[in-house]
Amino acid sequence: MVKSKKILTLSVPLVIFLIACYFLFQGLYTDPRKLESTLIGQTVPEFTLQDLYDPDKQHDASIFKGQKLLLNVWATWCPTCYAEHQFLTKLAGQGLYIIGMDYKDNRIKAIKWLTDLKDPYAISLFDKDGMLGLDLGVYGAPETFFIDSKGIIQYRHVGDLNDRNWQDKLSAIFDNME
Amino acid sequence: MQLTSVDLHVQNNRFKTVNFSAYLFCLMFFFSPLAFSATDLFEFDNAQQEQTFHDLTKQLRCPKCQNQNIADSNAKLAEDLRNKTYQLVKEGKNEEQVIAYMVTRYGNFIRYDPPMTPATIFLWLGPLLFILVGFYFIYALVTRQKKQEAQLDPEEEQRLQEILSNKKSTDKKSQKGNKE
Amino acid sequence: MLPEIGQVVLAIACMFSLLQVVYPLYGIYAHQQSAIESAKILTVLQFVFVALSFIILAYLFLVNDFTVAYIATNSNSAMPWYYRLSAVWGAHEGSLLLWVLLLSIWSTAVALMSKRLPVESVARVLAVLGLLSLGFYLFVLLTSNPFDRTLPYFPVDGRDLNPLLQDIGLIFHPPMLYMGYVGFSVAFAFAIAALMEGRLDSAWAKWSRPWTIAAWTFLTLGIALGSWWAYYELGWGGWWFWDPVENASFMPWLAGTALIHSLAVSEKRGVFKSWTVLLAITAFSLSLLGTFLVRSGVLVSVHAFASDPTRGLFILTYLILVIGGSLLLYAVQASKVKSRGRYSLISRETMLLINNILLIAALIVVLLGTLLPLVHKEMGLGSISIGEPFFNRIFTVLVVPFALFLGVGSLVRWQRQNLSDLFKPMVILLVVSTLLTLVFLLAFASHFTWLALLGVFLGMWILVGTGMEIYLRSTHRFSLWTGMKKLGNSHWAMTLGHAGFAVMVIGITMTQNFSIERDVKLRIGDSVRFEHYDFHFDAVNDLQGKNYGGIVGQFTVKYDQETVAVMEPEKRIYTVQRTAMTEAAIDSGFTRDLYIAMGEVLPDGAWSVRVYYKSFIRWIWFGPLMMALAGVLVMFDRRYRVKKVSKSAAEVI
């Protein structure tokens, strides 16, 4: 009796270790640098931004209401965005409504980029000093927000969109939105 | 761009010459001797603002970087966050307000000082519990020995002899100057 | 051809490690003396082959063989030869090879230096070490082969070593650190062998103690070197960042520190044996955990290696087998251990146990602080960060009881101490250390803070406590001078180690409380002034190194009008990787460092410059240096000279 109790006490380190191992195992398959957005379930914060093509034209948060859409944060200084661009064009071709946000960029370069590579965006916002980016908690381009027809952010994807992750997971998220 | 008032200020803060309230003042405004520099990268209205800004940049984490605070990181995003922090501090926001501002946007990842959650409470409880259990254990160990001492059976009597002879040999060693 | 030979040689070393496990254990099982004795030879052979393989890799680096993938990604022909050599352990694959090499060096040392221990015990220890090696060989060969080729298309030149690592620090820091990590495997192997045998006695503690202290000494030096390296190389003047990887080295250190103290008690008094064994297992397990954290990419860290889930999975499996297995063995076998010591509540034994508890509490803080972000995220509670503000706060709390007990602890006798006898020394201790604290702060502090008062007091308390212990012990029977000469090496080691800790505490306190940091905008000709210092920005010149270009600033530093230093911080651009590096200029001194790091050129042509005044920062590394020296001193204690060991070992048998 006494002895088995002693063994039980002495097994505490083992138990703790095994629990830790469970989490370490889980940790192997999650990227610790992917952060969840704090805006899930909320509307896009209020803003007024110029249109990329036309400095006189102003947009505000009302553009996110009415239909489900993707908000893609990109920039010409971002190599991954270049890789992603083709896929975005493909999605736009399939009829997805995509709003682009050119983040901390040079307007002329950005317009040239869109002219050369085709423009998948229904609307292009120009966030020159990254203030909307900051409000959205953007920490690197590209990032894509999934926004439903009520203008509520349902999901954020960090990194590029491509055939594989779209098929695996993301298209389902998009299709499930209202 | 030189400032001579700085030296005077330092002198004033000498431990020997100031009274108690000045101690407290220094305690609160750690970098007060530097408050009035014209060459600083960020300029502030008062010493407290500078201190707040300084503290904030040390405890806000750059979300893009490997593992750096926004004061140490050269990343663009860290620079943005530094500037935003500066702007907010200049607007008169205090430390909690700035942290709250950042947390609503980037989540708790951005603060190096984690908030209390059902999980983070263990950061404090874990070591505390260990210390308490450990101290109880020492106490229990010692009292158990006392009890055993009170009632020796023959076997233990023999063990005691063993211990005593052991002790002698240790004592001998200590005379040789080896004991520590 | 040579890379293939290197790989084959490594595979042979792997085979020997397998034999080193199986054959001796079989010998013990079947009572075959020759098989038992073969353990030593197999260990030496394993060492010879892994060393050969390591030499081959080093040679390939020296001759710039870029057909080898690992060399092509981590070296460059423009690097000076010594950096090419240290680049061997500059990244994942090579550093693992260094790891197994060091493990085999420790194993060989055990094989050769325990001639007088019972052959069977040594065979068990070597078998355990062989098992540890085997896992790492498989890891290297299966997932991280440094000899992989890039054929048929190999680059003309290499991609260069990360510029941060092209530094004298990289030559010494990782080998030291690894010597420490790996060295704990010996204490671990002794513990496991003892558990397997079912015999935990003070002889076991006596045998493993010198090995543990040796490993601890290396680890102490390794960590201190790393901290110093970060300080001068990273360019923002910090010396400890609570980064997961730093924590990964700090945790085994805490466990190891607890272990060497606990071993002392187990050896001398025959108590706490079960606890000591657990610590021996813990110290090495944490070394292994560190490897996992660094190489699996589960945590966001400054110096993680390129990560890969397969590698992570491999190490995790290894961890579960090795650590899980030994903890299981512990649970079953340690229950048989009976403590036979007697001591009262106030005795040296309990003092040491209390400090052990506090050390492990600190370890738990670091462990939780490192792993909780991961757990938090996996539990769906979201990402959090745990960093400097948290650790600083909780360590400020923990160090107080630790230092107080440490200062008093050495005054308390073994077994039993009358409280009333302790009263007088305590009063003296309190008065003297308070006085010294005030004198110290009056002399060196620019202003008052409570934390500085507390920290310096704790340091002085330990110093005075240790000093008093020496005085009381020496004058116990003899005059002070004769008595001091009669004290053994390990006694002096204890004193030196504790004093080193005190020095470090004072250093940390002063640095944290009285340093001055200024981010300033300077044009050539401007100056910054603070304290009595005047930093004058004289010029910016061009810089041309072997594999980098850049600029170098020049600052004349005056103290009260008198020139004390000309400082030249550099900003380098490494040509191959196109990375910018800040090489800070440091003027070091006993009570302060001056530190200048160049930032960017601002649009108006001025430079952003970081100018730091670091109060007493050298003490932060001087302390650990003293601790490491203490470790060396113990090695030269009479008790551990071979003859003595053999004699006492013979007694035990």
Side-chain angles (χ1 to χ4, degrees), chain C residues 227-256:
Chain C
S227 155
W228 173 62
W229 179 26
Y231 167 72
Y232 75 75
E233 186 70 16
L234 293 182
W236 50 82
W239 51 275
W240 191 261
F241 301 94
W242 297 106
D243 184 76
V245 173
E246 287 170 330
N247 294 349
S249 68
F250 189 36
M251 288 189 280
W253 188 86
L254 286 168

Side-chain angles (χ1 to χ4, degrees), chain C residues 486-566:
Chain C
K486 282 188 186 295
L487 293 176
N489 264 355
S490 57
H491 200 116
W492 284 112
M494 174 186 85
T495 310
L496 187 63
H498 290 177
F501 180 74
V503 166
M504 187 179 78
V505 169
I506 295 175
I508 293 173
T509 307
M510 297 301 283
T511 304
Q512 296 294 83
N513 284 280
F514 302 111
S515 291
I516 297 169
E517 303 186 3
R518 295 195 57 188
D519 287 332
V520 287
K521 202 153 99 177
L522 290 179
R523 287 166 194 285
I524 293 168
D526 286 347
S527 339
V528 200
R529 282 189 183 187
F530 53 76
E531 289 284 319
H532 291 257
Y533 290 98
D534 177 293
F535 299 80
H536 188 261
F537 188 14
D538 308 326
V540 174
N541 298 312
D542 283 339
L543 177 73
Q544 191 52 54
K546 206 171 173 202
N547 53 345
Y548 59 84
I551 58 101
V552 51
Q554 192 191 320
F555 291 78
T556 304
V557 186
K558 288 186 176 149
Y559 183 86
D560 288 343
Q561 314 302 328
E562 201 177 312
T563 304
V564 286
V566 176

Side-chain angles (χ1 to χ4, degrees), chain A residues 76-117:
Chain A
T76 55
W77 45 261
C78 147
T80 321
C81 301
Y82 187 85
E84 180 191 52
H85 198 86
Q86 214 177 359
F87 185 71
L88 285 176
T89 320
K90 189 175 144 192
L91 285 183
Q94 289 167 8
L96 262 73
Y97 191 78
I98 308 176
I99 292 179
M101 183 178 111
D102 186 25
Y103 173 62
K104 297 195 61 150
D105 208 352
N106 175 310
R107 191 191 294 264
I108 295 160
K109 274 192 200 166
I111 293 174
K112 183 171 161 25
W113 163 300
L114 289 183
T115 325
D116 292 351
L117 299 172

Side-chain angles (χ1 to χ4, degrees), chain C residues 22-36 120:
Chain C
V22 178
Y23 206 50
L25 287 184
Y26 164 77
I28 293 170
Y29 171 75
H31 300 289
Q32 250 188 41
Q33 200 59 27
S34 63
I36 297 175
E120 265 194 37

